[in-house]
Amino acid sequence: MDSEGVRTDPQLQQFIETESQKQRFQQLVHQMTEVCWEKCMDKPGPKLDSRTEVCFINCVERFIDTSQFILNRLEQTQKTRDSFSETITD
Amino acid sequence: MDSFGSDFSSGSGTGKMDTGAIMEQVKVQIAVANAQELLQRMTDKCFKKCIGKPGSTLDNSEQKCIAMCMDRYMDAWNTISRAYNSRLQRERARM
């Protein structure tokens, strides 16, 4: 591909950027719905009861907390283990 | 679905494809992918909830269960989407 062909349309670039962001959001919603459904839903009833709804909301919050906690902790352990990780990754 | 592939190749054949047309096609593709994702996960979950032991037919009570399960799965999806969105808003406000 020549450089002319690679040069991207800024409008298209912006579009791809926002659509990718929307897609990451949607993908995580799919994933969390699946996880939280297992945690919160008993037998599906004629309507969503408030107890289950609260469970879903808490489930989302704690899922994100968990993800952030793990990320932070991995970062911390990476820092303290820097001398070791060098030998591990090599 | 196959229209994307054929449109795309005919577009690149002429060397150029209108940006608006590309965006339109991408949007359709994303919508289809999301619908498929939802359908697959919903089928999985509702099969698990409603079909205890697969019988010779999908009986009436199973059908009722599946119908309710679908509605509740959509409720769950929407609730979670809202909760996630408000979490993102809060985190953005903190920054």
Side-chain angles (χ1 to χ4, degrees):
Chain A
M1 225 185 262
D2 58 32
S3 55
E4 279 296 294
V6 183
R7 202 187 56 202
T8 41
D9 179 345
Q11 192 196 356
L12 195 59
Q13 208 163 11
Q14 180 59 43
F15 170 79
I16 298 291
E17 185 57 46
T18 51
E19 288 304 315
S20 302
Q21 213 170 344
K22 279 200 278 188
Q23 200 44 35
R24 281 197 297 277
F25 176 90
Q26 293 246 327
Q27 200 49 47
L28 197 53
V29 173
H30 282 305
Q31 193 194 341
M32 289 191 294
T33 304
E34 186 158 32
V35 171
C36 298
W37 176 268
E38 290 297 321
K39 293 272 184 213
C40 298
M41 190 51 98
D42 297 324
K43 217 93 190 104
K47 62 186 281 289
L48 190 68
D49 59 82
S50 58
R51 193 175 53 94
T52 310
E53 191 175 355
V54 170
C55 181
F56 280 137
I57 294 166
N58 287 335
C59 179
V60 168
E61 298 286 348
R62 298 300 80 73
F63 188 88
I64 298 167
D65 288 345
T66 303
S67 150
Q68 290 176 347
F69 179 88
I70 288 173
L71 203 65
N72 285 337
R73 190 161 181 280
L74 279 177
E75 239 168 44
Q76 288 307 328
T77 49
Q78 272 307 110
K79 269 183 209 150
T80 55
R81 280 192 189 170
D82 250 356
S83 49
F84 296 105
S85 62
E86 270 169 32
T87 55
I88 294 167
T89 48
D90 280 346
Chain B
M1 252 207 288
D2 54 342
S3 68
F4 182 57
S6 46
D7 280 2
F8 189 78
S9 47
S10 66
S12 59
T14 59
K16 232 178 201 159
M17 192 179 169
D18 172 32
T19 303
I22 294 175
M23 297 197 306
E24 225 23 73
Q25 293 283 15
V26 169
K27 277 192 168 170
V28 171
Q29 286 300 299
I30 290 172
V32 169
N34 274 318
Q36 281 177 333
E37 179 99 44
L38 183 67
L39 177 69
Q40 183 228 311
R41 290 177 193 245
M42 189 187 262
T43 304
D44 221 65
K45 294 299 167 195
C46 294
F47 180 81
K48 233 169 127 185
K49 286 275 185 224
C50 297
I51 314 296
K53 216 179 168 96
S56 54
T57 59
L58 200 64
D59 68 43
N60 218 274
S61 67
E62 286 170 334
Q63 289 185 25
K64 273 188 190 133
C65 177
I66 293 166
M68 264 197 294
C69 178
M70 289 169 69
D71 293 345
R72 297 297 78 73
Y73 199 83
M74 283 316 303
D75 288 343
W77 204 96
N78 289 322
T79 303
I80 283 158
S81 175
R82 261 182 274 122
Y84 179 31
N85 195 43
S86 76
R87 170 78 180 239
L88 287 177
Q89 302 293 329
R90 264 181 284 134
E91 298 209 342
R92 258 181 224 134
R94 271 200 302 142
M95 291 211 279

